[in-house]
Amino acid sequence: MIQRFDRNDRRILTFPAVHPCEGISPATLLNSLIILSRDICNFKSNFFATQRRNVREMIRQVGILLIFFEEILDHLPSDRDSIVLCFAELHTTFQKINFLLDDCTREGAKTWMLMKSHSVASQFQVLVRTVATALDVLPLNSLNVSREIKELVVMVANQAQRAKMELDPEDEEAVKRVILLLNQFENKFQPDPCVIKKFLDYLDITTWAECHKEIKFLEDAINIECSENYEREVPMLSSLVGFLSYCRGIVFEDSVYGNTDQSDGSSNLETLSCLDPEDFRCPISLELMTDPVTVSTGQTYDRASIQKWLKSGNLLCPKTGETLQSTELVPNSSLRNLIQQFCADNGISIAKSRKKNHDISRTILPGNPAAAEAIKFLSEFLACRLYFGSDQQKTKAAYEIRLLAKSNIFNRSVLIEAATIPALLQMLCTNDTSMQEHSISALLKLSKHSNGKKVIMENRGLNSILGVLKNGLKLESKQIAAAVIFYISSPREYRKLISENPEVFPALVDLINYGTSCGKKNAIVAMFGLLLSYRNHERALGAGTVPALVNLLTSSDKVELNTDALAVLATLAERTEGSFAILEASALRVILDQLQNTTSRAGREYCVSILLSLCVNSGAEVIASLVREKALMPLLYSLLTEGTSQAKKRTRSLIKTLQRYCETSTSRLVSEVPQEQFIDVR
């Protein structure tokens, strides 16, 4: 009878009550009503930050009716139609009351429920009047209950009819106080801390963790609003996020802080991928690039976006601000293939990716002027703490920065403008594990911003980050440092500077050999990014990348990790030196095993790419070994029916190479192929 909803699955202040079906028996309906009434009465023990008077009155009335329901449970009424009509209406209403009380006590929703208090009071008014209407049709005189019980029901009906569920004066005063605080932020005036403290105390938000939960709830609400294209509430929600972020960072500076759940701002759980849509966004439109082209400054944009930019008379590079020496657009086929590979392997469409990128792009601008100023005040405060605070204050400030910059482009830009990056770089050279981890995590978030990359490199940050990669106090810090290197190496000019440091590739290889699975993955992806420049292939090979990746493939059962390793090997195999290194590492058997056993379509396609490069660069010996592999040709034919057009093209090329060898070679030539460094397939 009662439909159960997880409070996290139901949007707040929505009441999806189920009306009882026609013909339901009075006994079933009554039992369900009793359960609902008990659930409502159990809210007595909960803390209500707002609507206290309305809640108290509603629970009191339902409690009296519960006594009535339990009284008639053993002798059902004879007037079945009237009683079912009344109980059905009460059942629907009680469901809505239960939802409303649940929302009033929902974790992290205190601030939002306060700001919606006028609407919530109206809901209480509607529901209590609905109870009165339902009781009007109750055939009370025909019921076999005591006079006292009947009098109680009549009293509830009369009180419900006359009740005025109005906004508590204290709630109304608190709402006015919040609006005043937001107006002060909007006018670039820092509010009185005493006023802020009074508001927080009223809602019983007394710790960093409670404030953080409020922010998390509001951010989730913004995401829901935007996903449903219903953004009327977004400005107010954004202003509250900015205000409470200010409170979390400043008012609760001395409070115990830390993650309240594993998904929240935890950079040590963040892994990269060789195929990451975040790295495929056009800097202009912030949407997935379908036709990436490179301009004279070396920056890459989606063709449609940069052409629109140029046609409007702009002759500056949108990302760097440099004057374009020419308007020639050079297709970036390698990047286009990666984007197509990502979409094919993950079964997503360009349209879906564009929607995701639109969700990210909406954070370029602040959701509200009050939120913008609150974040600016907070950023200046955190920067001051980074430079002049105690070690504990510095660590706390770094942690706040990693949370603020997690998924908000505007916050990143403000934090960068506040000069937080130079201080964070200095904090990497520490013996404090928490300070180092939070600092490198904050730098990871800021490095995703184009200005962040620039500031890191201009402040000689590579050496500090590389120091963490090599000698980080925790493995988590090392893997985050690898991710930072990946992001700051995305601009071509920085990629060149990074790769010229002789310690970069050995440090990444060391993490591949000895890091956690997450660390291995980040190191591989950082390596992959650096290999976009061909001159880095020799450096990667010299550092022992190929043996490290081959060892990983033979020992790892993680599909995503192995796929990324194959992606790097496929890139290295494109050059003759890389192909020879793969053969010297006795990797041919490993690649064939991966081709046969991996469940990743991208992994299989990387294997084909490696095999094709080996055939082209290493000659007849490799081809002969592959021809002897009886299971290979059926696998290749099956790949022709799936994958990207580029992958199908490579598969056809490999099949033709093997067929051509079979047609032109004699059996004697095949039997004389040296077997020392190639697979034995007989």
Side-chain angles (χ1 to χ4, degrees):
M1 266 301 299
I2 302 174
Q3 189 174 13
R4 298 292 182 184
F5 287 86
D6 188 316
R7 61 161 57 188
N8 294 318
D9 295 335
R10 178 178 60 85
R11 184 173 174 177
I12 196 165
L13 294 179
T14 57
F15 313 115
V18 178
H19 192 79
C21 61
E22 293 183 7
I24 189 170
S25 71
T28 301
L29 192 52
L30 184 58
N31 276 294
S32 188
L33 258 177
I34 290 173
I35 295 172
L36 271 172
S37 300
R38 289 172 178 169
D39 287 344
I40 292 170
C41 291
N42 285 337
F43 277 100
K44 281 182 183 179
S45 59
N46 290 43
F47 171 75
F48 287 85
T50 56
Q51 305 290 333
R52 297 185 183 98
R53 188 175 62 184
N54 292 337
V55 167
R56 188 165 54 248
E57 177 62 19
M58 185 64 78
I59 292 177
R60 186 187 67 81
Q61 292 187 12
V62 173
I64 294 173
L65 292 178
L66 174 59
I67 298 172
F68 164 65
F69 297 145
E70 291 173 337
E71 178 79 9
I72 64 172
L73 184 61
D74 295 329
H75 23 70
L76 293 175
S78 57
D79 190 348
R80 299 172 62 90
D81 292 339
S82 296
I83 198 73
V84 168
L85 178 63
C86 171
F87 284 0
E89 187 63 32
L90 287 176
H91 189 276
T92 303
T93 305
F94 281 16
Q95 289 178 71
K96 294 179 180 180
I97 293 172
N98 205 15
F99 286 137
L100 188 57
L101 296 176
D102 185 66
D103 287 340
C104 288
T105 57
R106 188 180 292 204
E107 187 175 65
K110 295 175 184 176
T111 308
W112 187 236
M113 291 300 288
L114 173 67
M115 301 311 293
K116 301 291 290 183
S117 54
H118 284 280
S119 174
V120 174
S122 297
Q123 287 291 341
F124 275 112
Q125 182 69 43
V126 169
L127 292 172
V128 75
R129 288 296 166 81
T130 307
V131 170
T133 302
L135 293 176
D136 279 346
V137 299
L138 180 65
L140 196 57
N141 292 330
S142 64
L143 300 181
N144 185 18
V145 292
S146 65
R147 181 173 59 83
E148 292 81 3
I149 295 296
K150 289 182 181 180
E151 289 176 352
L152 285 174
V153 174
V154 171
M155 178 188 70
V156 169
N158 292 334
Q159 290 178 347
Q161 186 64 44
R162 299 194 306 269
K164 292 185 178 181
M165 309 295 269
E166 298 175 335
L167 183 63
D168 286 0
E170 295 84 357
D171 289 352
E172 190 165 16
E173 183 63 28
V175 171
K176 292 178 180 178
R177 191 174 295 122
V178 175
I179 294 173
L180 172 64
L181 292 168
L182 296 179
N183 287 338
Q184 288 177 324
F185 276 121
E186 187 171 347
N187 291 315
K188 304 182 180 182
F189 178 77
Q190 288 202 68
D192 184 347
C194 294
V195 178
I196 295 178
K197 186 69 165 55
K198 191 173 183 179
F199 156 73
L200 294 171
D201 287 343
Y202 179 75
L203 292 183
D204 199 37
I205 302 173
T206 58
T207 66
W208 184 96
E210 289 170 348
C211 188
H212 181 67
K213 289 176 182 177
E214 295 287 312
I215 296 169
K216 190 72 169 62
F217 171 84
L218 295 168
E219 289 176 337
D220 290 343
I222 291 174
N223 291 332
I224 292 172
E225 293 276 324
C226 293
S227 67
E228 297 179 357
N229 295 318
Y230 182 79
E231 302 185 15
R232 188 182 67 179
E233 304 280 11
V234 169
M236 175 56 73
L237 288 164
S238 299
S239 66
L240 294 175
V241 169
F243 166 53
L244 288 171
S245 297
Y246 177 92
C247 295
R248 184 182 64 191
I250 297 178
V251 177
F252 296 111
E253 182 188 17
D254 298 326
S255 178
V256 176
Y257 65 94
N259 288 338
T260 55
D261 58 71
Q262 288 297 313
S263 65
D264 196 31
S266 186
S267 290
N268 59 343
L269 299 178
E270 179 170 346
T271 57
L272 303 172
S273 170
C274 285
L275 300 173
D276 187 347
E278 286 297 298
D279 308 311
F280 301 153
R281 290 187 290 137
C282 173
I284 298 174
S285 66
L286 293 173
E287 294 180 346
L288 196 70
M289 291 185 280
T290 57
D291 187 9
V293 293
T294 302
V295 298
S296 60
T297 59
Q299 302 299 322
T300 300
Y301 303 93
D302 195 46
R303 183 184 294 275
S305 298
I306 192 63
Q307 283 180 338
K308 184 177 180 181
W309 172 271
L310 294 173
K311 285 180 181 179
S312 64
N314 295 302
L315 295 178
L316 299 178
C317 175
K319 194 169 182 180
T320 67
E322 301 175 32
T323 301
L324 296 172
Q325 300 301 317
S326 74
T327 57
E328 182 183 3
L329 305 177
V330 180
N332 191 330
S333 56
S334 297
L335 182 57
R336 184 176 66 250
N337 292 338
L338 287 175
I339 295 172
Q340 292 174 348
Q341 182 70 64
F342 173 83
C343 292
D345 195 48
N346 290 275
I348 62 175
S349 66
I350 296 293
K352 290 181 179 179
S353 297
R354 287 182 179 273
K355 182 180 185 303
K356 178 180 179 181
N357 290 323
H358 174 71
D359 292 342
I360 298 170
S361 68
R362 64 179 168 78
T363 69
I364 293 177
L365 298 175
N368 171 284
E373 296 305 322
I375 295 300
K376 289 177 183 178
F377 282 130
L378 176 58
S379 298
E380 292 170 359
F381 175 85
L382 295 175
C384 185
R385 282 290 185 259
L386 292 179
Y387 285 102
F388 306 111
S390 65
D391 286 352
Q392 183 178 355
Q393 289 172 332
K394 289 179 179 180
T395 303
K396 167 69 160 50
Y399 187 79
E400 289 292 342
I401 290 171
R402 69 186 276 194
L403 289 181
L404 287 171
K406 180 184 176 184
S407 57
N408 190 295
I409 298 173
F410 173 76
N411 289 359
R412 291 172 191 167
S413 65
V414 173
L415 288 162
I416 293 167
E417 289 175 6
T420 58
I421 287 179
L424 289 168
L425 290 170
Q426 292 176 8
M427 290 164 55
L428 295 180
C429 301
T430 177
N431 293 322
D432 186 323
T433 56
S434 294
M435 179 184 290
Q436 186 179 79
E437 182 183 358
H438 294 330
S439 298
I440 193 67
S441 298
L443 286 166
L444 171 60
K445 302 298 187 292
L446 298 177
S447 70
K448 296 179 180 182
H449 195 285
S450 57
N451 290 339
K453 299 177 180 67
K454 182 179 180 182
V455 175
I456 289 173
M457 295 302 292
E458 287 179 349
N459 283 271
R460 303 180 183 275
L462 176 61
N463 290 335
S464 299
I465 294 165
L466 186 57
V468 177
L469 177 62
K470 292 172 56 182
N471 304 308
L473 300 174
K474 295 174 64 177
L475 276 176
E476 288 84 353
S477 298
K478 291 183 177 183
Q479 71 190 29
I480 298 167
V484 177
I485 288 177
F486 168 75
Y487 281 109
I488 62 177
S489 67
S490 56
R492 185 174 62 179
E493 64 271 24
Y494 297 155
R495 191 182 309 139
K496 180 177 181 296
L497 289 173
I498 292 169
S499 59
E500 287 175 351
N501 189 310
E503 297 181 319
V504 171
F505 285 100
L508 291 173
V509 170
D510 191 59
L511 189 57
I512 292 172
N513 283 326
Y514 304 111
T516 63
S517 294
C518 178
K520 293 175 187 289
K521 187 173 177 62
N522 284 359
I524 290 171
V525 175
M527 183 84 70
F528 184 84
L530 292 170
L531 290 176
L532 292 175
S533 175
Y534 277 111
R535 69 182 67 189
N536 291 333
H537 286 219
E538 184 177 348
R539 297 184 178 101
L541 293 172
T545 300
V546 170
L549 293 176
V550 173
N551 289 337
L552 184 149
L553 289 172
T554 58
S555 61
S556 170
D557 58 357
K558 297 186 180 299
V559 176
E560 289 186 6
L561 180 61
N562 292 351
T563 299
D564 284 340
L566 290 168
V568 174
L569 287 174
T571 302
L572 291 171
E574 293 174 358
R575 301 182 66 130
T576 303
E577 299 88 344
S579 292
F580 280 127
I582 290 172
L583 294 175
E584 288 175 2
S586 303
L588 193 54
R589 178 75 263 168
V590 176
I591 303 304
L592 288 169
D593 287 344
Q594 286 290 320
L595 178 61
Q596 285 184 294
N597 299 321
T598 184
T599 58
S600 166
R601 182 165 59 188
R604 292 193 295 272
E605 292 174 358
Y606 286 134
C607 289
V608 170
S609 180
I610 295 169
L611 295 177
L612 180 60
S613 295
L614 293 178
C615 291
V616 172
N617 295 326
S618 303
E621 292 85 354
V622 174
I623 301 175
S625 297
L626 294 180
V627 166
R628 292 194 185 114
E629 183 62 53
K630 296 180 180 180
L632 177 59
M633 198 62 77
L635 273 174
L636 296 179
Y637 279 119
S638 68
L639 290 175
L640 289 176
T641 62
E642 58 183 44
T644 63
S645 58
Q646 185 71 18
K648 292 177 182 177
K649 182 179 178 180
R650 289 174 182 168
T651 304
R652 283 192 292 268
S653 296
L654 181 56
I655 291 173
K656 288 179 181 178
T657 299
L658 299 179
Q659 289 176 337
R660 191 180 303 115
Y661 179 86
C662 291
E663 293 170 357
T664 58
S665 300
T666 63
S667 58
R668 180 186 60 81
L669 180 60
V670 172
S671 65
E672 293 176 355
V673 173
Q675 300 298 305
E676 295 82 18
Q677 58 179 335
F678 303 110
I679 58 173
D680 183 3
V681 296
R682 288 174 294 180

